[in-house]
């Protein structure tokens, strides 16, 4: 049952994440992972892995405080990519540098030879191929993917240029815990078929004066989940799709790292009308 929480002095009311139904222990013969019973905690977080707690203790001892604040333990992230993974690299580097209070513990891809997968392998991050296809016969099923994520005790899923529709089973397993970034100001220029340069071509052709990236939570459809953060980028009179794409991508890296950092810090709160907000890192009464 959800419990309403009122922020001090702001009048904002928000609710923690719902508790999911219990998970039954299952074994995947293909992946070889065993899932474990584990409840989801409030404010978009799950119970952390014991290793994460130990790592957080080391961080506290070394730096005199946790990156995410007192009592906030490091989160475990699975990043999904289909291409070069520049946003994945930005998030991974931010995690290594302490800007994000979490660790990338898995890289999921539908293209095992993509740049993002190669970067993961080069950094010792396990790579899971999903889904199984003619071009990727080593891919796993949805059930096997879920078992792998459970065994890795993933807290949040971060989509970083993953072009496949996320299965409904995954959305149900991780409610309010899957983020995506899209290179336009949603709901404009979103949905099936809008990806890469196609988005920027459509923006320019429409005569829109502004574009920019949108970070949003993921539901069962393409680009329709609740917006968490956006950045505005001007569309210049003589822009080519490539020029606009480069300008938007620059903002993508920054806004996505900031949004993932807020998620890992437990600073994402939900208004009673279902809109997610980011609580300020320095002032708990300010939201964006």
């Amino acid at each position: 049952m959800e419990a309403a929480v009122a922020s001090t002095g702001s009048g904002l009311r928000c609710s923690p994440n719902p508790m999911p139904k219990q998970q039954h222990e299952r074994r995947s013969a293909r992946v070889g992972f065993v899932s474990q019973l584990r409840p989801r905690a409030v404010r978009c977080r799950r119970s952390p892995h014991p290793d994460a707690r130990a790592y957080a203790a080391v961080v506290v001892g070394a730096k005199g405080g946790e990156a995410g604040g007192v009592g906030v333990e490091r989160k475990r992230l699975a990043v999904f990519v289909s291409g070069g993974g520049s946003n994945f690299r930005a998030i991974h580097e931010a995690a290594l540098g302490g800007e994000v209070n979490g660790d990338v513990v898995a890289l999921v891809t539908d293209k095992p030879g993509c740049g993002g997968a190669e970067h993961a392998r080069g950094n010792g991050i396990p790579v899971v191929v999903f889904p199984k296809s003619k071009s990727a016969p080593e891919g796993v099923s949805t059930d096997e993917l879920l078992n792998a994520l459970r065994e890795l005790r993933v807290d949040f899923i971060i989509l970083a240029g993953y072009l496949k529709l996320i299965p409904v089973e995954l959305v149900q397993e991780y409610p309010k815990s899957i983020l995506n970034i899209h290179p336009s100001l949603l709901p404009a220029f979103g949905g099936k078929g809008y990806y890469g340069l196609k988005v920027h071509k459509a923006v320019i052709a429409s005569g829109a004066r502004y574009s920019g990236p949108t970070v949003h939570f993921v539901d069962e459809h393409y680009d329709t989940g609740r917006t968490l953060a956006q950045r505005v980028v001007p569309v210049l009179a003589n822009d080519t799709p490539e020029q606009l794409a480069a300008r938007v991508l620059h903002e993508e890296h920054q806004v996505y790292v900031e949004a993932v950092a807020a998620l890992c810090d437990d600073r994402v709160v939900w208004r009673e009308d279902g809109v997610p907000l980011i609580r300020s890192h320095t002032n708990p009464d300010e939201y964006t």
Side-chain angles (χ1 to χ4, degrees):
M1 181 171 65
E2 296 186 355
V5 180
S7 65
T8 305
S10 67
L12 177 72
R13 294 179 64 82
C14 59
S15 298
N17 278 347
M19 299 289 285
K21 62 181 181 294
Q22 279 194 332
Q23 304 293 338
H24 292 288
E25 185 171 297
R26 296 189 294 177
R27 179 180 297 273
S28 165
R30 188 186 192 96
V31 181
F33 287 124
V34 179
S35 64
Q36 298 182 8
L37 299 177
R38 189 163 63 92
R40 190 186 302 274
V42 300
R43 282 188 184 167
C44 307
R45 59 175 293 189
R46 293 187 172 206
S47 300
H49 192 285
D51 291 343
R53 287 196 294 269
Y55 186 92
V58 172
V59 172
V60 172
K63 298 184 178 181
E66 293 183 52
V70 177
V72 179
E73 295 162 332
R74 293 183 72 83
K75 304 305 190 295
R76 298 171 66 82
L77 311 175
V79 181
F80 286 44
V81 304
S82 291
S86 65
N87 276 306
F88 156 53
R89 296 173 193 231
I91 291 168
H92 182 226
E93 290 171 4
L96 293 177
E99 187 177 352
V100 169
N101 188 38
D103 300 293
V104 179
V105 298
L107 188 289
V108 179
T109 183
D110 60 317
K111 297 181 179 180
C114 70
E118 291 302 320
H119 180 77
R121 294 186 187 100
N123 285 272
I125 298 172
V127 173
V128 179
V129 178
F130 174 81
K132 182 178 181 179
S133 64
K134 290 182 179 179
S135 60
E138 70 272 39
V140 300
S141 68
T142 298
D143 282 344
E144 290 169 332
L145 175 63
L146 285 170
N147 282 338
L149 297 177
R150 291 174 189 140
E151 175 62 16
L152 290 167
R153 299 186 182 181
V154 168
D155 296 297
F156 300 116
I157 293 172
I158 310 298
L159 308 185
Y162 186 71
L163 301 182
K164 297 289 186 180
L165 185 65
I166 298 300
V168 63
E169 295 90 342
L170 201 60
V171 175
Q172 292 172 348
E173 179 82 6
Y174 287 87
K176 298 181 179 179
S177 299
I178 307 177
L179 282 185
N180 183 43
I181 191 161
H182 183 77
S184 74
L185 296 174
L186 293 175
F189 309 105
K192 187 175 182 179
Y194 278 102
Y195 60 89
L197 284 180
K198 292 182 179 181
V199 174
H200 307 296
K201 288 178 180 178
V203 169
I204 292 172
S206 75
R209 301 307 197 258
Y210 297 95
S211 189
T214 298
V215 179
H216 65 94
F217 283 93
V218 173
D219 58 17
E220 294 85 355
H221 309 286
Y222 284 109
D223 304 327
T224 58
R226 293 286 192 167
T227 294
L228 179 63
Q230 290 181 315
R231 286 289 175 85
V232 176
V233 173
V235 180
L236 305 182
N238 297 318
D239 261 344
T240 65
E242 291 79 8
Q243 289 170 332
L244 180 58
R247 198 177 307 118
V248 171
L249 184 62
H250 176 75
E251 295 296 327
E252 278 188 31
H253 294 163
Q254 185 174 359
V255 72
Y256 213 7
V257 167
E258 291 177 359
V260 173
L263 197 63
C264 291
D265 284 347
D266 295 340
R267 290 188 290 110
V268 174
V269 297
W270 294 78
R271 277 191 341 212
E272 288 185 327
D273 60 357
V275 173
L277 301 173
I278 294 176
R279 190 175 68 245
S280 169
H281 187 72
T282 56
N283 187 343
D285 293 328
E286 291 183 356
Y287 297 82
T288 59

